[in-house]
Amino acid sequence: MLIVPERQIPDLLTRSASFTAVEKVFAAMAAGQAYNFPVIREAIGHEDALYGFKGGFDRDGHTLGLKAGGYWPHNLEKRELINHQSTVFLFDPDSGMISAMVGGNYMTALRTAAASAVSIQHLARPDAKVIGMIGAGHQATFQLRAALEQRPFEKVIGWNLHPEMLPNLAAVAEEAGLPFEAVALDGMTEADVIITITSSFAPSLLAEHVSPGTHIACMGTDTKGKQELEAALLGSATVFADEIDQSITLGEAQHAIAAGLISRDDITEIGAVINGTHPGRSSAEEITLFDGTGVGLQDLAVAAAVVDLAVEQGVAIEVDF
Ligand code: NAD
């Protein structure tokens, strides 16, 4: 079995390898070649922690396994460890033997950013110039870096409930040589692409803040009860998701479904666009929306890419197990 420790992963995993792995696995999901297992997530009654498993099998990618981990809210203050902790375990689909154990913390940010980047690549207008960010926390910087590689953007605008965090976005824009402007929510009408990546439980982005032709990647809502967008936006947009079951139960679509604004049949898996079985955007005025809830297969696909890179570079630790 091979081990790739967390500390090695930032040097191994690139945005482009994450993009390729996530795009491929979304395609396999839509083709019926890959599926996610039901998610387990439990409050364990110790340290206020949430712990769980996300797993799946990708027949095309020959990847079987799970990500185990969760959220320990007191880690930082008590132990100087980050609060999100996860590890990916890969198994040989032919024999069931464990094949690899890979640190999952850094990978989670890159695979989440890759999902919205894939949606931008396949659904945003080719002439998109302005990208708008709602959210400026840990994930937001990864999201913005990956998104900027998908179109020749000329400007970044951002809104955050806690404006003191906006310099995080400004720094990424500066890194890319682009101007950054902090805006009020109604300033988002200038954006051609909007990414939402907050932990909000109430909508921030309303229909009146979005112009025709915009692509919206909703990435923060990954739990029952969370919400970043006014549900009406989903009613007027063409809605895509990583996985429809998750989108309607714990993604942004949960609210539009509950309000009767859309039905399950109104949502298309992004993989269908990648595979060419759905045309994707059909006009320059259409609002496209990607509900990125985060699936276990994304973690497995990126972990498998990390293992390949670690082997190639001779840094994977081999253990007789
Ligand atoms: P973070 O704590 O670093 O940042 C949280 C962000 O949300 C900040 O911008 C903060 O200002 C904003 N925020 C907090 N409360 C808010 C409110 N009530 N209204 C509006 N904004 C609010 O968190 P992070 O690590 O950047 O994660 C952001 C979100 O992304 C979380 O909800 C997390 O669960 C989710 N996430 C999703 C995926 C996925 O695959 N879709 C993967 C990882 C994380």
Side-chain angles (χ1 to χ4, degrees), residues 111-112 136 138-139 160-162 198-200 219-220 222 226 292 294:
R111 68 78 147 142
T112 306
H138 177 69
Q139 301 287 335
N160 196 47
L161 183 69
H162 308 103
T198 71
S199 46
S200 177
M219 304 305 298
D222 57 357
K226 281 189 186 170

